Structures are given as C-alpha cells and as structure tokens.
Amino acid sequence: MSERPRLTVLSGPSGVGKSTVVAHLRKVHPEIWLSVSATTRRPRPGERHGVQYFFVDDEEFDKLVANGELLEWAEFAGNRYGTPRRAVLERLEAGEPVLLEIDLQGARLVRESMPEAQLVFLAPPGWEELVRRLTGRGTESPEVIERRLAAARVELAAESEFDVTLVNTSVEDVSHELLALMKVS
Ligand code: ADP
Ligand code: 5GP
C-alpha cells in the first residue's frame, strides 16, 4: 500500500446535497482541496467563475477535451462537465488529499483510470425527500428538474458500484463521516 493520500470521489443524484456537504466540509476544513470542474452550464445566481466551476462555452470545452486536459468528463442533463487533470495530479503528488464531486459517469471513468480512488455515494433519506430538495432549491425550471429526476433514478440504481454509501440526513454528520473516510482529522 502506498502512503499517498487517496483521491476521494463524491457522487450521488442531483439535489441530494453534494454541494451543501462539500461547502460545509470546506468551511470547517479549509485545507481540503476540492477540484474545480469546467462546465458548459450557465452559472446559477451567486456562482462565480473559478469558484464553483470554470464556466466555459462549447468551443472551449471541445478544446479541453481535444488537448487531453480533462481527467474525465461527462454530459449531464444537457450540459458537459469535466475535471481538469493537471491540478488533481499535482495535489496528489504533493501528498494532499483530493476530493472530486462528480456525476456517476465521471465516477466510473475515474474508477477505470485510477483504481485506487475511493468512491463515495451520497444517498437521500428517501425519494420524496430528494424531489423536495431538488424542487426546493428553486434554481431549475420544471423541465430541467424532470431531466435531473430521470437521471437520479439511474444514479440511485448504481449505488452498489460505490465503496461506501453515506445517507445525507444531516449535513454535519455526513461531512464528519466523509472527513473520516478521507482520513483528515
Ligand atoms: P447537489 O449538489 O447534490 O445537487 P445541493 O447541495 O444543491 O445538491 O442541495 C439541494 C438542496 O437540498 C439545497 O436546497 C440544500 O439546501 C438542501 N439540502 C442539502 N442537504 C440537506 C439536508 N441534509 N437536509 C435538508 N436539506 C438539505
Ligand atoms: P450541477 O449542474 O448541479 O452543478 O451539477 C450536475 C452534476 O454534474 C452533478 O451530479 C455534479 O456532481 C456533476 N459534475 C460536476 N462537475 C463534474 C465533473 O467535472 N465531471 C463529471 N463527470 N460530473 C460533474
């Protein structure tokens, strides 16, 4: 076993609370490094370039793919998302734990290219609660919510592919469990 800190991948259906958990975790542990993905999705109110995402257009995303700059990428509910490769590898080389918050397809690609990665599935306490959270966030149109719920059904069925499942009932509890998995005390 190498002593290298692991790459941890957090995945789970849209609306389950991934961003909320990660934001909480980073507030308490600012030293945890979270990869910032590139996306073709438009920013939501309050989102800033380089913070939540690098917001790029289709042409720029094509270039990132063509130049091999993405560790993985996937299309999700009509937009493309990808993990910049270099920053992740640099952090791992520097001995720092790395966290990725990506979708199911991305998690599968990381498992293929980096089998030592730890895959964590964030599950909702129940389907109704997932619908409530996704709708309650109020950031997507009914049509987009439908697309995301359709994707969520597929994602929920893939839970057994992950190393660990954490149920997001309490943001604090789940952040604590995730920290323990990343072996950051
Ligand atoms: P994701 O990043 O997985 O798409 P978000 O973090 O945007 O999900 O969360 C979706 C909604 O659910 C937000 O309105 C958020 O405040 C709420 N939420 C997240 N975690 C919890 C929780 N443990 N209990 C209740 N609501 C939550
Ligand atoms: P959102 O639009 O809600 O921010 O993200 C939609 C989905 O894309 C979420 O499941 C999120 O985890 C995923 N996602 C974000 N960044 C990446 C990435 O770099 N690669 C992949 N494969 N998925 C991502």
Side-chain angles (χ1 to χ4, degrees):
M1 273 296 279
S2 93
E3 288 301 311
R4 226 181 181 194
R6 281 166 107 188
L7 175 64
T8 303
V9 176
L10 182 68
S11 203
S14 183
V16 71
K18 298 181 297 297
S19 316
T20 307
V21 166
V22 165
H24 179 79
L25 189 68
R26 299 199 67 230
K27 210 166 93 188
V28 183
H29 284 271
E31 75 280 8
I32 291 180
W33 188 75
L34 173 76
S35 164
V36 178
S37 298
T39 183
T40 58
R41 165 165 84 61
R42 296 294 111 225
R44 292 180 186 136
E47 286 186 332
R48 287 189 292 135
H49 185 77
V51 180
Q52 287 82 11
Y53 286 104
F54 296 108
F55 295 98
V56 299
D57 61 22
D58 272 314
E59 200 181 320
E60 288 170 299
F61 200 97
D62 286 343
K63 263 189 215 154
L64 292 174
V65 173
N67 294 338
E69 288 181 48
L70 301 178
L71 183 65
E72 60 74 35
W73 70 271
E75 183 161 338
F76 180 89
N79 293 298
R80 288 184 292 169
Y81 299 80
T83 305
R85 181 195 303 277
R86 194 195 302 159
V88 168
L89 298 184
E90 279 174 3
R91 298 287 164 153
L92 288 174
E93 283 301 325
E96 294 169 32
V98 166
L99 181 61
L100 302 186
E101 190 242 282
I102 60 178
D103 87 320
L104 169 65
Q105 307 163 77
R108 286 176 173 151
L109 292 169
V110 170
R111 163 135 291 165
E112 275 172 29
S113 62
M114 303 174 94
E116 71 282 12
Q118 163 169 243
L119 266 52
V120 180
F121 188 81
L122 193 63
W127 177 257
E128 291 308 318
E129 176 61 13
L130 181 66
V131 175
R132 203 184 64 74
R133 286 184 192 172
L134 192 52
T135 313
R137 189 167 65 191
T139 49
E140 273 86 23
S141 66
E143 190 191 309
V144 171
I145 287 174
E146 275 314 311
R147 286 176 89 161
R148 284 174 178 250
L149 285 174
R153 289 189 191 278
V154 175
E155 299 218 313
L156 285 172
E159 182 189 329
S160 63
E161 294 175 35
F162 287 72
D163 299 309
V164 193
T165 293
L166 302 178
V167 179
N168 182 17
T169 304
S170 145
V171 172
E172 287 77 16
D173 289 355
V174 154
S175 305
H176 196 75
E177 289 160 7
L178 187 57
L179 263 180
L181 289 171
M182 294 183 74
K183 299 207 170 45
V184 180
S185 53

